[in-house]
């Protein structure tokens, strides 16, 4: 029995040695499982300790130049203003100087509109640059060539004049606001052009001027998604091409060799007698702003803050954040609430959005279960939609309602996801979203501007999105 035992010991020892050698050579030992499941913990930077560039909240149609009116404007959450409209007049007006002086006192930044007369720049710039609040000039909706419908100069005409200004005043910015994609079908009295050509002209004649300086180099557009048509089967709906228009500028910024700063206008009042005669709610404003964040925008501009005079596209009964009597409206309160949410989130978001990678659309199961052929026209129009497989660290995403997910990274390569409930707000659709992450144990979730760190179960994160709501998610751990 003793001899047999010694043999058994030798055999066992040989088997153990062989297993150790084979495991070392081929990685097939019992340790392999531990190596596969081993996870290096991702520790996020202290975002609060970094002062990122501010998210810009701007508006069209300025208040009358009084300290009280501009303090009220600032209290609503705005940090920039376009100086135009009947309260301040046009470039060269004494009221523009008054408004700049007030903005100096309150720490607001201002653009002065020169859409009606670009040549005014040389007459006013020496005076305006003395104001700390003065950022630069803006020009609204030129096309590539001179517009023979309204005689407004084209981008090819504006470029050389801005280049001349830039040589003398390199710190003065120029924000050219482009037409939306749906305006390409208009008869401008010029040679026709595509939206791609429009963006190329913007970069060639305007952005190239600011390519190698510290001043912000703007790309901007206005388009409004809120529609109402009483004769339609669903009278309240979102403009189908709005996401595409947002994407055009976001892709231009992402893919440009020049560092660009992006801005987009949102609808904050009804206007016209047709499909745009729709009063925006808190949820409508929130939906628009969070969707901009999902595309990595640096700035939002409200259309409008004060109510323009009645006539033309503005009706007597229509009003903005401030009505024609100078009183704040419910739209002011809704905008203030949204701006407060965004400003709480902004410092973290602005450490990610410079590296925006794309937008991932997700169809809601409430829709796909009812109709196996269901699709979302707005999402289908996107030029370069991402799939879930392109979202680093994400295994799966499901949602009860349609959502869009903006994908971006911070300077250290950590992923951030802006998840937005993208449905017309009158549907009162609440989205239950599940994101499953690969290898992460926690997620920082910013909702209503407030951060909560959530422990993940098997990598899963459940998010409840209110009407028009967006949340920012950063997985880690």
């Amino acid at each position: 029995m003793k001899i047999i035992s010694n043999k058994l010991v030798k055999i066992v020892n040989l088997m153990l040695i062989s297993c150790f050698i084979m495991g070392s050579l081929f990685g097939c030992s019992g340790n392999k499982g531990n190596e596969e499941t081993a996870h290096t913990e991702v520790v996020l930077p202290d975002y609060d300790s970094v002062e990122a560039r501010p998210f810009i909240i701007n508006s069209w149609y300025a208040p009358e130049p009084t300290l009280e009116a501009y303090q009220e404007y600032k209290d609503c959450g705005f940090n920039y203003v376009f100086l135009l409209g009947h309260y301040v007049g046009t470039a060269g007006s004494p009221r523009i100087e008054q408004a700049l002086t007030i903005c100096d006192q309150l720490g607001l930044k201002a653009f002065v509109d020169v859409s009606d007369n670009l040549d005014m720049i040389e007459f006013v710039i020496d005076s305006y640059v003395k104001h700390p609040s003065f950022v630069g000039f803006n020009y609204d909706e030129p096309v590539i060539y001179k517009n023979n419908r309204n005689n407004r100069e084209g981008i090819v005409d504006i470029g050389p004049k801005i280049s001349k200004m830039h040589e003398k005043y390199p710190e003065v910015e120029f924000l050219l606001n482009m037409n939306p994609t749906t305006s390409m079908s208009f008869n401008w009295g010029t040679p026709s052009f595509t939206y791609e050509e429009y963006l190329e002209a913007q970069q060639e004649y305007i952005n190239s001027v600011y390519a190698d300086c510290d001043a912000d180099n703007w790309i901007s557009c206005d388009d409004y998604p809120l529609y109402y048509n009483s004769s339609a089967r669903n009278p309240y709906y979102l403009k189908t091409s709005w996401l595409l228009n947002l994407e055009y500028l976001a892709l231009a910024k992402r893919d440009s060799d020049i560092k660009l700063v992006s801005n987009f206008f949102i609808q904050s009042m009804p206007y016209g007698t047709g499909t745009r005669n729709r009063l925006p709610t808190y949820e409508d404003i929130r939906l628009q702003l969070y969707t901009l964040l999902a595309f990595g925008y640096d700035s939002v501009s409200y259309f409008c803050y004060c109510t323009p005079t009645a006539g033309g596209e503005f009706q007597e009964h229509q009003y903005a954040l401030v009505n024609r009597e100078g009183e704040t409206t419910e739209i002011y309160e809704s905008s203030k609430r949204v701006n407060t949410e965004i400003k709480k989130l902004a410092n973290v978001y602005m450490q990610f959005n410079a590296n925006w990678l794309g937008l991932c659309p997700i169809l809601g199961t409430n829709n796909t279960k009812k109709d196996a052929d269901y699709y979302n026209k707005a999402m289908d129009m996107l030029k370069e939609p991402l799939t879930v497989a392109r979202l680093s660290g994400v295994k799966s995403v499901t949602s009860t309602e349609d959502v869009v997910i903006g994908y971006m990274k911070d300077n250290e390569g950590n992923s951030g996801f802006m998840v937005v409930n993208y449905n017309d707000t009158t549907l009162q659709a609440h989205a239950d979203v599940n994101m499953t992450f690969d290898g992460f144990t926690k997620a920082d979730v910013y909702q209503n501007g407030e951060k909560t760190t959530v422990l993940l179960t098997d990598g899963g994160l459940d998010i409840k999105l209110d009407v028009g709501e967006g949340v920012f998610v950063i997985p880690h751990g």
Side-chain angles (χ1 to χ4, degrees), residues 144 155-156 196-206:
I144 296 178
I155 292 176
V156 297
E196 287 83 0
E197 291 169 334
Y198 196 22
L199 287 164
E200 288 170 5
Q202 156 81 12
Q203 293 218 32
E204 180 180 352
Y205 290 95
I206 307 298

Side-chain angles (χ1 to χ4, degrees), residues 71-87:
Q71 183 63 61
E72 189 171 66
Y73 179 84
K74 183 177 180 179
D75 290 344
C76 193
F78 295 97
N79 48 17
Y80 273 58
V81 61
F82 287 107
L83 293 180
L84 62 108
H86 72 275
Y87 288 119

Side-chain angles (χ1 to χ4, degrees), residues 147-165:
N147 185 341
N148 291 324
R149 294 176 62 191
N150 59 15
N151 289 320
R152 189 161 286 183
E153 294 176 273
I155 292 176
V156 297
D157 308 306
I158 295 169
K161 295 182 179 181
I162 296 309
S163 181
K164 181 180 176 181
M165 178 193 79

Side-chain angles (χ1 to χ4, degrees), residues 172-190:
V172 175
E173 298 172 11
F174 188 78
L175 188 152
L176 185 152
N177 185 57
M178 302 174 68
N179 287 278
T181 56
T182 45
S183 293
M184 294 303 95
S185 60
F186 292 175
N187 177 16
W188 304 108
T190 74

